[in-house]
Amino acid sequence: MSNAAKELGTLVFAVNGERFELSDVDPSTTLLEFLRSQTRFKGVKLSCGEGGCGACDVLLSKYDPELKQVENGKVNSCLALLCSINGCSVTTTEGLGNSKDGLHPIHKRMAGFHASQCGFCTPAMCISLFSVLVNAKNANRPEPPPGFSKLTVLEAEKAIVGNLCRCTGYRPIADTCKSFAADVDIEDLGINSFWKKGDSIEDKISKLPFYDPDDDICTYPEFLKNESKPLNFKSQSWSTPLTIEELQSLLEVNLAGNGTKIKLVVGNTSTGYYKDLEHYDKYIDLRYIPELSLIRRDHTGIEIGATVPISKAILALREEHDVKLCSEAELVFQKIANHMERVASGSIRNFASVGGNLVIAQRRYFPSDIATIFLAVDSIVSIITGQKHEKLTFEEFLGRPPLDFKSVLLSVKIPCWKPEKKDLSSETETKLLFETYRASPRPLGNALPFLNAAFLADISSSKTGVLVNNIRLAFGAYGTKHAMRARKVEEYLAGKVLSFGVLYEAVKLVKAAVVPEQGTSDPAYRSSLAVGFLCEFLLPLIDPDSVTSDPYEFDDVGNPGLVSSAKQVIEPNREYYPVGKPIMKSGAALQASGEAIYVDDIPSPENCLHGAFIHSTKPLAWVKDVKFESKSLPDGVTDIISFKDIPKGGENIGSNTQYGDEPLFADDITSYAGQPVAFVVADTQKHADVGAAMAIIDYDTEGLGPPILTVEEAFERSCFFEVPSDMYPAQVGDFLKGMSEADHKILSAEIRLGSQYFFYMETQTALAIPDEDNCMVVYSSSQCPENVHTVIARCLGIPEHNVRVITRRVGGGFGGKATKSMHIAAASALAAHKLRRPVRIYVNRKSDMLIAGGRQPMKITYSVGFKSNGKITALHLDILINSGIVIDLSPIVPGNMIGSLKKYDWGALSFNIKLCKTNTSAKTSMRGPGEVNATFIAEAILERVASTLSMEVDFIRTKNLHTYESLSSFYEGSAGEPQEYTLPSIMDKLASTSSFEKRIEMTKEYNLCDKWRKKGISRVPIIHQCSLQPIPAKVSILWDGSVAVEVGGIELGQGLWTKVKQMTAYAFGLIQCDGAEDLLDKVRVIQADTLSLVQGGITAGSSTSESSCGAVRVCCDILVGRLAPLKEKLQKQMGYVTWDDIILQAHSENVNLSASTYLVPDSNSLHYLNYGAAVSEVEVNILTGETRILQSDIIYDCGQSLNPAVDLGQIEGAFVQGIGFFMSEEYLSNSDGMVVTVGTWTYEIPTIDTIPRQFNVEVLNSGHHKKRVLSSKASGEPPLLLAVSVHCATRSAIKEARKQLRSWGGLEGSDSESTLFDLEVPATMPVVKQLCGLDSVEKYLQFCASPSDST
């Protein structure tokens, strides 16, 4: 490439060592778009598009010519603009290794520790771990033992902070990361496929895939070292000024009233929050201007340039420097750095700039932590506007009108603070205090705060007390435009000697000052947080024993540790080898290396178009028109598809179940807000998404009544769906008789339960390709391709043999890719059919959340009677279930609910369950549909009974556990044999292994000693009723003896393929030929193809794996029957007979080596019960409402597990998903029923820092169950129900907090009345804090203060 060409502007970079040169690029193109559309590297995934999930993480490496070193850090490729990586090198998981050339130790360990289920997040997990390993190599630490890195365990765990996983529960991923740490305790690592129980530590280390830091990948190729030059495209769409003067010139020229739209760029991470779809004519890269990238430290403070990445600023604040500052100043800098590390995630901090964060806080009111901290320490901001250079205090900076694009933030200076010198007696000690605070759903960031704060105080201590000389109090992110100083509080405290009374008056002033703007969620909670933080800051100065230190382990920069330890107990079974062996999940290594192909990874065919939905914003309205502002179609848009484009003979059908259909598009009337009205088709997915967002729908509501948006409205208007009579559950016993026997009654108590979103990492996706003779091939990420097939045929009006649906694997489903996947595939097929071109769609996260429906919300009213000894005698429930606009799969919910409720002996159980039809999105089956709701209902009722009787709830639970006789009465036909009822023994065993009774006493002692933290512990049982379903299978043996298996079940990450492979190897092993132990390697399970294997059904209900295994065994038995005579004949002839010998002989004798079946379970084996129990211990922070899960212990009965490692992963993953439902996930709608939680900023699934710190699981091998498939039981859904133990433990902790609050005069009534409360689901921080007392600090201070204390 000539220098002349380079001057014209060539974008040069590398991906996995390969050179790329681009002469002109749309400057809005992200790195992720380029990687997925222009390269073969598909390991990097799109999931949220906001930088909030980590699925798109890559390692970005750049060369510093001055220091002559390479800087490495992971970034979110969905936010990073392609032009901004000029001269950089990108490493994806494919760059680490592959199955052909050799996998990287990260890949091998990720697979071997069973850390990949659906696998969609796994490539990015690998890159996140790789990034910290690369940076650890240069750490100034002792050399690690061979095979390990310089990482510490805490650093290794933190590698995946910011990466979301919906399948695994994180524990095995954390173990993978920890296995590279120099200080790891090998005995603490969980179950894996490398070593066996009983191996010595030395043997275990030797069996780990060896890691050699010096053999690692070159992250920055030599050929790039001379390419790191500013990028300026000839088109001037991207410019890179090198000086302030050049920048000013560019701004003057382009802002001279000619309408040019300019975007100033550093990291572009703000687009993750603001979803900026606006078109810009020019992008100006600010990173090459020296004044903006400086870090200058002197005795007056630290100045940080506006374009300095947040991660670099953190390092600068922490690093030792030649310029020595006083210890107080160093402490301030350290604490600022510690707090900044809790902002966003590592991949955001590596690319986001300090200045960018501050500008969006000032201009667009972003709830910035950094702005609040900088306000507290009186930072100075430098701004340039034209020729005018200003220095402003941070308060002035926030208070001025929003910065326009003529003004550029240059730098911010954090001053050096030290105690003021005062003429005080020698007995007085003066010092500086500085603390920062953050209340957020996730302790380590990657979530917006409810409130942040930073306090700086100059105090003097003497015998008379602590005098506040000066104090600065900054609060932010609480629902106001900017962070602010609490001036009145500062003025009040200045010159005061601290006392309970003084602090009480101060917190009253804080509460008056920190007032969220109207419309802010949880305003009272946010104000109470401000009070709590001030209390936490000053109360120790008055009463050092009143606020205890945080009991958790911290790393060397003040961040709490994560998973401290975990224990897994499994019992491998060799009776049916290799069934029962905890082998590695099939395809796990391919998922880690990025070689596993998901639907959106399939290369686009020639002339492929992309689609996006236009959604209604009205719940019930006439659709008059769908149009764009301009008369012409937006850039790249080809067409708009609606119900009018359905061909003659076709139907407006988007999904189909045995209970009914749902339309693909709204026709003349919208039925719910969020409903697809039309489908934009464009040349790229970005153009389709932008086009859909630009569409305008004209509505009219004339002649239409009000929509039905709640179950109460549906009830009033008698708007219900009918539950088929054969699906409606049967009542148990005589309710009136049971109530007459009761000593106590609770009448008409209410419970409300909200929805939950699936949050599969791979959103809905499909690719439709027109084929010859009016045929259509569709690749769909679906849990039920059979129904997708039918829907497409009906929509297009063509025979079903003209449609072929292919599904290889699904990147997470949880029920969300059952009916909802049909809409996506049908829309793509309809567009492809009309336009006669391939059409694909990868639904963006917002659109996915609008149409997903999620779990059914419900309202429950119950009446219960019970004896004085705690025995329940009768329970009646009236349940209103919000099914949404169509029936979907809601008819299964009543039976599921009652099946789960019946885990206790209620004496008599009656109910009235109604499926309400509302103008909201159709709700569907989510993992444990109805069952998780019912589990909570059961526990809430027992909690209320226990509170009423002033008894321990564990006693009430035990009192109402079933005997085998009552179990048989409640679960008629499903209870099995008496020895199969393992729940009582599980409860006893769990009490022993978890030290339950001892920990109860320890918890009581702790709660007496700590005022502001309370612990709770709870033990909860579950009974889960499983049903088998009919399923097909086909097994074929090829010439070389390899085996191809097809099953109706879909691989969702649950290990179905793995179990099927094991079953195939076991069944063929029964032929007892030589070398049969190697049969497992000969088996391949192939993708689902609806024309190859019909009647595939739906993969759901936890039992598809065992059903598939049962069907495969039938096929194998047929084939073994055909092969056995040949084996006997060959053995007589040869003596030594191998599998290959038998198969060759079979071919020569024209034996049919393919067998298929459609296995329909008989009535005796159709239903069975699963049992399990969990003990969870939590700690609640009364000041913030934060709940930390200290420990969870689970025992779950898997019968004889088909694969204990796979089942263990299902148990852990389901449990953590249940934690999300019970503790954090809010799937909210507005007054029109439109979903408003539409991304990672507002929807909080569990993360590595919110799971149990100690997570112990035992997979119980309960012996033989002759009616089960090789005595196995399901594991996918039932363990999710056990997460209610966390919610119950939280309630127990809140109960202790309320008792304490009452002792301070904060609650009226008796002690027993203070324990009568309902804890909502989810038990979010605001909910918990409110029940602990929004005024708990004030009540405590009043309780402690003397009458004259506030003077």
Side-chain angles (χ1 to χ4, degrees):
M1 178 77 47
S2 66
N3 288 332
K6 289 181 182 177
E7 287 174 9
L8 292 177
T10 302
L11 174 60
V12 181
F13 58 97
V15 181
N16 296 328
E18 294 183 22
R19 183 187 183 92
F20 288 85
E21 291 189 24
L22 305 173
S23 58
D24 206 357
V25 177
D26 177 352
S28 69
T29 302
T30 65
L31 174 56
L32 178 65
E33 290 173 61
F34 177 81
L35 290 172
R36 292 197 55 79
S37 65
Q38 304 297 319
T39 79
R40 67 182 188 280
F41 305 119
K42 302 297 178 69
V44 56
K45 309 294 186 189
L46 173 63
S47 183
C48 72
E50 302 175 321
C53 72
C56 66
D57 280 355
V58 299
L59 184 74
L60 189 69
S61 306
K62 44 192 172 184
Y63 183 66
D64 187 328
E66 291 184 11
L67 299 176
K68 290 186 167 46
Q69 66 184 29
V70 176
E71 298 176 356
N72 300 289
K74 69 170 183 173
V75 301
N76 293 113
S77 63
C78 71
L79 301 180
L81 295 174
L82 184 63
C83 291
S84 67
I85 68 160
N86 187 44
C88 297
S89 175
V90 174
T91 304
T92 70
T93 194
E94 292 97 330
L96 308 187
N98 57 66
S99 58
K100 291 183 179 179
D101 303 320
L103 295 164
H104 192 278
I106 292 176
H107 297 149
K108 294 177 182 177
R109 295 193 193 184
M110 198 69 76
F113 278 102
H114 310 290
S116 181
Q117 289 187 22
C118 88
F120 202 79
C121 71
T122 310
M125 294 288 185
C126 292
I127 281 297
S128 295
L129 175 53
F130 178 67
S131 69
V132 297
L133 289 172
V134 167
N135 287 317
K137 285 195 292 188
N138 300 321
N140 185 21
R141 294 174 184 169
E143 288 301 311
F148 296 90
S149 72
K150 293 182 181 179
L151 286 176
T152 66
V153 164
L154 283 170
E155 289 169 339
E157 288 179 318
K158 283 172 57 183
I160 57 168
V161 169
N163 290 78
L164 300 185
C165 174
R166 193 57 152 165
C167 296
T168 66
Y170 300 99
R171 194 276 311 160
I173 305 174
D175 275 355
T176 304
C177 297
K178 287 157 64 175
S179 75
F180 288 88
D183 61 343
V184 68
D185 179 355
I186 290 294
E187 298 289 336
D188 190 42
L189 297 179
I191 180 176
N192 60 75
S193 60
F194 304 123
W195 57 71
K196 299 175 183 176
K197 188 176 180 179
D199 283 353
S200 67
I201 291 177
E202 292 74 19
D203 284 343
K204 289 179 177 180
I205 292 173
S206 68
K207 290 177 180 179
L208 268 178
F210 189 77
Y211 170 70
D212 184 354
D214 297 325
D215 269 351
D216 232 325
I217 290 88
C218 172
T219 60
Y220 196 89
E222 285 292 324
F223 63 75
L224 273 182
K225 288 189 175 174
N226 295 319
E227 302 286 0
S228 183
K229 296 181 179 178
L231 178 65
N232 293 281
F233 280 144
K234 187 177 181 180
S235 64
Q236 296 189 349
S237 60
W238 185 280
S239 299
T240 308
L242 301 181
T243 65
I244 292 289
E245 291 71 29
E246 287 183 26
L247 172 62
Q248 290 173 318
S249 176
L250 281 169
L251 291 175
E252 286 173 8
V253 169
N254 289 288
L255 291 172
N258 59 1
T260 302
K261 291 184 177 179
I262 291 179
K263 183 166 188 174
L264 303 181
V265 176
V266 182
N268 196 50
T269 53
S270 66
T271 58
Y273 186 74
Y274 290 107
K275 315 293 189 303
D276 201 345
L277 298 177
E278 188 175 359
H279 171 76
Y280 292 95
D281 302 297
K282 191 175 188 67
Y283 289 70
I284 300 176
D285 186 350
L286 304 178
R287 294 172 302 159
Y288 286 80
I289 300 173
E291 293 91 334
L292 271 66
S293 57
L294 63 81
I295 298 177
R296 184 185 296 127
R297 179 176 178 135
D298 59 28
H299 67 279
T300 63
I302 297 179
E303 186 176 6
I304 299 172
T307 63
V308 172
I310 294 172
S311 57
K312 271 195 173 180
I314 291 170
L315 291 175
L317 289 163
R318 284 183 178 150
E319 70 181 357
E320 295 184 6
H321 200 273
D322 294 339
V323 179
K324 297 296 180 184
L325 304 175
C326 66
S327 60
E328 289 87 354
E330 294 286 3
L331 183 65
V332 169
F333 293 155
Q334 287 288 334
K335 289 190 174 183
I336 292 174
N338 292 350
H339 189 111
M340 288 171 72
E341 198 167 52
R342 293 188 181 91
V343 172
S345 63
S347 47
I348 292 287
R349 294 192 298 268
N350 287 334
F351 221 51
S353 66
V354 172
N357 183 282
L358 299 180
V359 168
I360 62 172
Q362 198 273 350
R363 180 189 292 158
R364 304 182 75 170
Y365 315 131
F366 179 74
S368 164
D369 284 76
I370 298 174
T372 303
I373 297 168
F374 284 3
L375 175 63
V377 296
D378 204 21
S379 300
I380 303 296
V381 172
S382 293
I383 298 174
I384 190 167
T385 306
Q387 301 301 315
K388 183 181 178 183
H389 188 175
E390 298 177 90
K391 286 188 181 291
L392 306 173
T393 67
F394 206 83
E395 198 166 16
E396 291 169 337
F397 168 68
L398 293 178
R400 66 177 287 164
L403 291 177
D404 58 27
F405 287 95
K406 295 178 183 177
S407 300
V408 177
L409 177 66
L410 298 179
S411 66
V412 59
K413 184 169 183 177
I414 307 169
C416 177
W417 284 87
K418 55 187 177 181
E420 293 183 16
K421 296 286 184 182
K422 292 190 177 292
D423 185 18
L424 299 166
S425 70
S426 58
E427 295 181 356
T428 303
E429 178 189 356
T430 302
K431 62 179 179 180
L432 196 71
L433 299 179
F434 178 69
E435 292 292 348
T436 68
Y437 301 91
R438 188 175 205 271
S440 163
R442 294 171 179 156
L444 292 185
N446 209 32
L448 289 175
F450 292 103
L451 178 133
N452 53 42
F455 306 148
L456 182 70
D458 184 290
I459 63 168
S460 302
S461 300
S462 67
K463 292 180 180 178
T464 58
V466 175
L467 173 68
V468 179
N469 300 314
N470 285 296
I471 191 167
R472 302 174 64 87
L473 306 172
F475 299 93
Y478 60 87
T480 187
K481 289 187 172 69
H482 298 127
M484 66 91 186
R485 292 264 303 277
R487 293 281 187 179
K488 288 186 177 179
V489 190
E490 294 173 359
E491 291 166 4
Y492 170 77
L493 286 171
K496 293 277 195 316
V497 174
L498 289 175
S499 66
F500 289 112
V502 166
L503 188 50
Y504 174 65
E505 294 300 323
V507 299
K508 285 200 298 185
L509 292 171
V510 165
K511 212 160 194 174
V514 179
V515 179
E517 293 181 356
Q518 191 170 2
T520 303
S521 62
D522 307 301
Y525 168 66
R526 295 173 192 257
S527 296
S528 75
L529 284 174
V531 169
F533 287 152
L534 185 64
C535 170
E536 196 169 343
F537 184 60
L538 295 179
L539 190 56
L541 302 176
I542 305 167
D543 181 9
D545 297 326
S546 64
V547 178
T548 57
S549 61
D550 199 309
Y552 301 107
E553 183 179 7
F554 280 73
D555 63 16
D556 55 4
V557 295
N559 288 326
L562 304 174
V563 184
S564 58
S565 66
K567 183 175 69 174
Q568 303 84 45
V569 178
I570 63 170
E571 301 177 48
N573 172 32
R574 291 193 60 85
E575 183 177 357
Y576 308 114
Y577 183 87
V579 171
K581 183 180 180 183
I583 67 169
M584 188 187 305
K585 191 180 84 70
S586 176
L590 295 179
Q591 290 169 179
S593 64
E595 297 171 87
I597 304 299
Y598 300 82
V599 170
D600 197 53
D601 298 334
I602 299 170
S604 291
E606 189 175 357
N607 295 320
C608 187
L609 296 170
H610 301 255
F613 287 107
I614 299 171
H615 298 277
S616 164
T617 56
K618 301 287 185 183
L620 187 62
W622 297 102
V623 179
K624 296 174 64 179
D625 193 15
V626 181
K627 59 187 179 182
F628 298 103
E629 269 191 36
S630 60
K631 293 183 179 180
S632 60
L633 293 173
D635 287 349
V637 172
T638 301
D639 202 352
I640 299 180
I641 308 294
S642 71
F643 77 98
K644 297 175 183 177
D645 295 292
I646 293 170
K648 185 178 180 181
E651 303 175 46
N652 183 15
I653 179 173
S655 70
N656 159 256
T657 70
Q658 66 193 84
Y659 313 110
D661 301 336
E662 180 174 3
L664 177 58
F665 297 117
D667 43 29
D668 295 322
I669 300 178
T670 67
S671 299
Y672 68 90
Q675 182 178 19
V677 173
F679 190 65
V680 171
V681 184
D683 57 351
T684 67
Q685 189 65 59
K686 178 196 276 185
H687 282 148
D689 288 336
V690 171
M694 293 172 63
I696 299 170
I697 304 175
D698 283 343
Y699 299 101
D700 188 0
T701 57
E702 185 178 352
L704 297 175
I708 298 173
L709 297 175
T710 66
V711 292
E712 289 87 351
E713 291 170 356
F715 184 81
E716 287 173 11
R717 293 161 68 173
S718 298
C719 199
F720 306 118
F721 294 112
E722 186 175 344
V723 181
S725 58
D726 62 336
M727 298 193 67
Y728 196 83
Q731 319 268 337
V732 180
D734 185 335
F735 172 72
L736 293 178
K737 182 173 181 292
M739 288 297 274
S740 68
E741 295 171 355
D743 299 325
H744 307 273
K745 298 174 184 177
I746 297 171
L747 302 177
S748 301
E750 281 191 9
I751 298 172
R752 290 179 183 270
L753 290 168
S755 186
Q756 184 183 19
Y757 170 62
F758 312 93
F759 214 105
Y760 27 63
M761 294 301 291
E762 173 202 47
T763 57
Q764 302 279 4
T765 180
L767 166 61
I769 305 172
D771 204 355
E772 64 180 25
D773 197 22
N774 202 29
C775 291
M776 186 69 64
V777 179
V778 179
Y779 295 87
S780 173
S781 180
S782 176
Q783 292 177 240
C784 49
E786 178 190 5
N787 290 57
V788 171
H789 185 127
T790 301
V791 165
I792 291 171
R794 288 176 59 187
C795 181
L796 301 184
I798 58 178
E800 287 198 28
H801 65 222
N802 282 26
V803 179
R804 182 183 178 206
V805 177
I806 298 172
T807 301
R808 179 175 294 181
R809 60 171 58 83
V810 173
F814 319 114
K817 289 181 181 164
T819 59
K820 300 299 179 178
S821 65
M822 302 175 202
H823 294 260
I824 312 308
S828 300
L830 176 61
H833 182 81
K834 178 188 177 183
L835 301 173
R836 300 179 187 179
R837 292 171 64 177
V839 175
R840 76 188 315 161
I841 178 173
Y842 189 74
V843 179
N844 65 60
R845 185 62 70 179
K846 177 180 179 179
S847 184
D848 196 288
M849 295 189 79
L850 287 176
I851 62 178
R855 200 181 291 283
Q856 290 87 352
M858 56 187 66
K859 176 186 175 184
I860 304 95
T861 305
Y862 69 87
S863 296
V864 63
F866 47 98
K867 296 280 193 181
S868 297
N869 64 359
K871 180 67 187 74
I872 311 291
T873 59
L875 172 65
H876 176 81
L877 305 108
D878 292 303
I879 303 175
L880 299 177
I881 298 172
N882 187 342
S883 299
I885 191 59
V886 297
I887 196 167
D888 200 271
L889 293 171
S890 288
I892 71 169
V893 174
N896 285 3
M897 288 190 71
I898 299 306
S900 189
L901 265 168
K902 290 193 293 189
K903 68 177 182 174
Y904 291 117
D905 177 3
W906 301 104
L909 176 62
S910 69
F911 40 83
N912 182 15
I913 305 175
K914 294 188 180 297
L915 301 181
C916 300
K917 181 178 180 179
T918 62
N919 292 108
T920 61
S921 58
K923 315 309 174 200
T924 191
S925 291
M926 183 174 177
R927 197 177 196 173
E931 292 136 333
V932 66
N933 314 66
T935 294
F936 172 76
I937 294 165
E939 299 306 331
I941 293 170
L942 291 196
E943 296 269 9
R944 188 69 178 269
V945 169
S947 294
T948 302
L949 295 174
S950 299
M951 289 180 174
E952 291 296 331
V953 69
D954 192 72
F955 173 82
I956 302 294
R957 290 190 180 107
T958 305
K959 187 77 175 175
N960 290 284
L961 282 182
H962 282 292
T963 63
Y964 177 72
E965 289 70 27
S966 65
L967 183 81
S968 300
S969 173
F970 273 69
Y971 292 99
E972 189 174 354
S974 302
E977 300 299 322
Q979 66 271 20
E980 295 180 55
Y981 180 40
T982 56
L983 185 57
S985 62
I986 286 173
M987 291 284 279
D988 291 342
K989 185 175 185 180
L990 183 62
S992 174
T993 57
S994 68
S995 303
F996 181 55
E997 298 296 338
K998 179 181 177 182
R999 286 165 59 199
I1000 287 175
E1001 295 308 313
M1002 292 171 64
T1003 297
K1004 289 178 180 177
E1005 291 177 15
Y1006 180 91
N1007 290 336
L1008 289 173
C1009 298
D1010 198 313
K1011 292 185 181 68
W1012 304 110
R1013 288 187 177 88
K1014 300 296 178 186
K1015 289 184 179 180
I1017 188 168
S1018 182
R1019 178 178 58 159
V1020 172
I1022 62 159
I1023 299 178
H1024 185 278
Q1025 192 168 22
C1026 277
S1027 301
L1028 299 183
Q1029 60 187 28
I1031 203 154
K1034 180 180 177 182
V1035 179
S1036 305
I1037 307 172
L1038 307 179
W1039 274 88
D1040 62 353
S1042 60
V1043 181
V1045 181
E1046 296 178 74
V1047 290
I1050 304 300
E1051 176 59 58
L1052 312 170
Q1054 81 280 44
L1056 183 146
W1057 283 3
T1058 311
K1059 291 180 177 180
V1060 165
K1061 285 181 67 173
Q1062 289 174 278
M1063 178 62 79
T1064 307
Y1066 161 70
F1068 281 146
L1070 295 177
I1071 204 167
Q1072 296 182 331
C1073 60
D1074 295 296
E1077 64 274 5
D1078 298 325
L1079 282 173
L1080 189 65
D1081 295 330
K1082 291 182 176 289
V1083 182
R1084 176 181 292 277
V1085 186
I1086 61 177
Q1087 63 193 16
D1089 182 329
T1090 55
L1091 286 187
S1092 177
L1093 192 71
V1094 300
Q1095 297 176 285
I1098 180 172
T1099 300
S1102 302
S1103 60
T1104 313
S1105 293
E1106 62 186 289
S1107 296
S1108 297
C1109 286
V1112 164
R1113 186 178 182 186
V1114 171
C1115 294
C1116 292
D1117 287 347
I1118 293 170
L1119 292 170
V1120 167
R1122 296 171 187 169
L1123 295 172
L1126 300 180
K1127 182 250 182 181
E1128 290 176 13
K1129 183 169 72 172
L1130 289 172
Q1131 199 159 34
K1132 288 177 182 178
Q1133 294 172 357
M1134 302 165 55
Y1136 182 86
V1137 182
T1138 67
W1139 172 260
D1140 293 350
D1141 294 331
I1142 300 171
I1143 301 309
L1144 284 173
Q1145 186 67 24
H1147 278 290
S1148 69
E1149 296 189 20
N1150 297 321
V1151 174
N1152 181 358
L1153 292 181
S1154 182
S1156 62
T1157 189
Y1158 185 66
L1159 182 64
V1160 180
D1162 62 59
S1163 58
N1164 291 327
S1165 62
L1166 183 60
H1167 304 291
Y1168 66 91
L1169 301 180
N1170 286 79
Y1171 306 106
V1175 169
S1176 288
E1177 181 181 355
V1178 306
E1179 183 184 72
V1180 166
N1181 184 325
I1182 294 175
L1183 296 176
T1184 65
E1186 180 188 9
T1187 301
R1188 288 182 176 173
I1189 309 171
L1190 303 180
Q1191 182 171 331
S1192 289
D1193 297 80
I1194 296 170
I1195 298 180
Y1196 181 74
D1197 182 358
C1198 272
Q1200 288 199 22
S1201 171
L1202 298 174
N1203 183 317
V1206 166
D1207 286 332
L1208 175 72
Q1210 289 292 287
I1211 293 166
E1212 292 178 332
F1215 185 81
V1216 170
Q1217 194 169 102
I1219 290 173
F1221 175 71
F1222 288 113
M1223 302 302 294
S1224 66
E1225 298 178 33
E1226 294 183 284
Y1227 196 24
L1228 305 176
S1229 303
N1230 64 15
S1231 58
D1232 283 328
M1234 185 85 154
V1235 173
V1236 293
T1237 44
V1238 289
T1240 55
W1241 289 98
T1242 51
Y1243 195 81
E1244 311 283 356
I1245 73 169
T1247 47
I1248 181 68
D1249 51 342
T1250 57
I1251 67 171
R1253 288 178 51 79
Q1254 189 163 342
F1255 200 0
N1256 305 320
V1257 179
E1258 178 176 349
V1259 181
L1260 183 69
N1261 185 336
S1262 62
H1264 293 274
H1265 304 273
K1266 58 186 178 183
K1267 294 180 183 179
R1268 307 275 59 78
V1269 177
L1270 296 190
S1271 299
S1272 66
K1273 287 187 169 187
S1275 62
E1277 292 178 295
L1280 186 143
L1281 281 55
L1282 290 170
V1284 74
S1285 61
V1286 174
H1287 191 276
C1288 293
T1290 304
R1291 190 185 188 285
S1292 175
I1294 294 170
K1295 187 166 104 175
E1296 296 304 311
R1298 289 171 66 84
K1299 286 180 181 177
Q1300 176 180 264
L1301 182 59
R1302 185 179 177 279
S1303 73
W1304 296 340
L1307 288 174
E1308 296 180 358
S1310 64
D1311 281 342
S1312 60
E1313 288 174 330
S1314 68
T1315 63
L1316 287 172
F1317 63 91
D1318 295 316
L1319 177 58
E1320 294 176 24
V1321 173
T1324 59
M1325 292 172 67
V1327 168
V1328 172
K1329 171 62 177 169
Q1330 182 166 9
L1331 288 172
C1332 290
L1334 293 174
D1335 59 351
S1336 58
V1337 169
E1338 294 95 311
K1339 293 299 181 184
Y1340 173 70
L1341 294 175
Q1342 278 184 300
F1343 177 76
C1344 295
S1346 62
S1348 59
D1349 212 9
S1350 60
T1351 55

